[in-house]
Amino acid sequence: MWGVHGRAAFLAEEVGAERVVLFDGMDPTAEFSAEHARRGSAVRYVQGDLHDELGVADLGVFDVVWCTGVIYHSPNPYQLIEHLRRLTSEHLVLGTLLIPEVPFLPGACLFLPGLPRPVRDAFASCLPHSAPILCGLTTDFDYTPELGYANCWWGITTTALSSMLEIAAFETLEENAGSAFWVDLIAVPTQRPSVIPSTSFSRQRGKDRLTAYTEKSRRTWA
Ligand SMILES: C[S@@+](CC[C@H](N)C(=O)[O-])C[C@H]1O[C@@H](n2cnc3c(N)ncnc32)[C@H](O)[C@@H]1O
């Protein structure tokens, strides 16, 4: 939604996608609403959080999922990639900010909150002049809770991103590294089983144990 006002969603509809959902945490922008009305568009806007397992499950599954400029805005980028996997049946189009590789440390990521000012400034000086302001990277981290995901949380290297995609059951088909700081890629789902238990797994086991225990005592005292 931010900055592009649903452009990719409208384009998908224009080229014949049967069902288009724009999912974003922000309120719809005036520009989005005006364009939606002008086109008589059937694009459905769903406001939600990509971290939210239930919200993601409600969306269903899509042939193509386009997610650009989002995962580094999360304290939990791997979780977002897992959720993108749940949404994707054929192709994921992912664009994301990167940081250059760290010598001798493949798979490294950099936790950006609290990064010293000189390091932040060094990043800012390497980014192309056309780059937008990146809250939490080129500016100080903003700790206002409502602005949580406006910040950049993680600097992710290409090697870390590749591993995250692989573990979350994606295979990268094509990738276009715009610079050391950005990549656009296309990935397809693989059948690799998820390594992360559902967040309800332990709660459900606890409930099952309680039910079994209650059932046993009921039988004992019956
Ligand atoms: C930098 S903008 C990118 C906009 C557009 N996709 C693009 O590539 O230009 C990040 C967008 O992701 C949304 N966003 C960030 N974190 C999110 C989350 N956890 N759940 C849903 N939307 C999120 C923001 O509201 C914002 O619209």
Side-chain angles (χ1 to χ4, degrees):
M1 186 59 79
W2 186 86
V4 286
H5 316 292
R7 200 166 57 208
F10 293 131
L11 180 64
E13 183 178 52
E14 206 172 294
V15 298
E18 272 172 31
R19 180 172 72 99
V20 184
V21 174
L22 194 175
F23 183 74
D24 196 292
M26 273 177 65
D27 294 347
T29 59
E31 290 87 341
F32 168 78
S33 303
E35 186 58 11
H36 196 273
R38 191 186 72 76
R39 289 172 176 253
S41 170
V43 167
R44 187 161 76 96
Y45 180 55
V46 178
Q47 190 164 11
D49 186 335
L50 194 52
H51 297 94
D52 175 7
E53 220 173 333
L54 299 179
V56 168
D58 278 351
L59 289 175
V61 175
F62 298 81
D63 297 345
V64 180
V65 172
W66 180 81
C67 179
T68 289
V70 179
I71 61 168
Y72 55 90
H73 284 291
S74 165
N76 303 312
Y78 179 73
Q79 185 193 19
L80 294 199
I81 294 178
E82 281 239 339
H83 286 179
L84 291 172
R85 174 65 184 83
R86 293 178 196 180
L87 292 168
T88 309
S89 68
E90 290 182 15
H91 289 99
L92 169 69
V93 183
L94 182 75
T96 190
L97 189 73
L98 296 171
I99 58 165
E101 292 297 327
V102 179
F104 308 112
L105 276 180
C109 290
L110 189 63
F111 191 58
L112 300 173
L115 206 64
R117 183 78 253 174
V119 183
R120 239 175 253 289
D121 290 346
F123 272 117
S125 70
C126 296
L127 291 168
H129 290 306
S130 56
I133 291 172
L134 291 163
C135 180
L137 180 61
T138 56
T139 66
D140 287 334
F141 202 86
D142 189 329
Y143 290 98
T144 315
E146 296 73 27
L147 286 178
Y149 301 150
N151 292 288
C152 298
W153 282 83
W154 285 96
I156 303 172
T157 56
T158 306
T159 47
L161 180 65
S162 302
S163 303
M164 289 190 215
L165 287 165
E166 186 189 333
I167 301 300
F170 279 114
E171 182 193 344
T172 303
L173 288 188
E174 273 182 48
E175 96 180 41
N176 176 10
S179 70
F181 290 93
W182 190 268
V183 69
D184 288 297
L185 61 83
I186 298 175
V188 290
T190 65
Q191 292 314 312
R192 186 188 177 103
S194 173
V195 285
I196 305 283
S198 148
T199 46
S200 61
F201 176 77
S202 299
R203 180 168 17 94
Q204 192 54 47
R205 275 182 75 84
K207 271 194 199 150
D208 291 348
R209 200 164 22 253
L210 188 65
T211 311
Y213 176 78
T214 315
E215 180 60 18
K216 192 172 157 209
S217 37
R218 193 185 60 74
R219 269 191 270 113
T220 310
W221 299 105

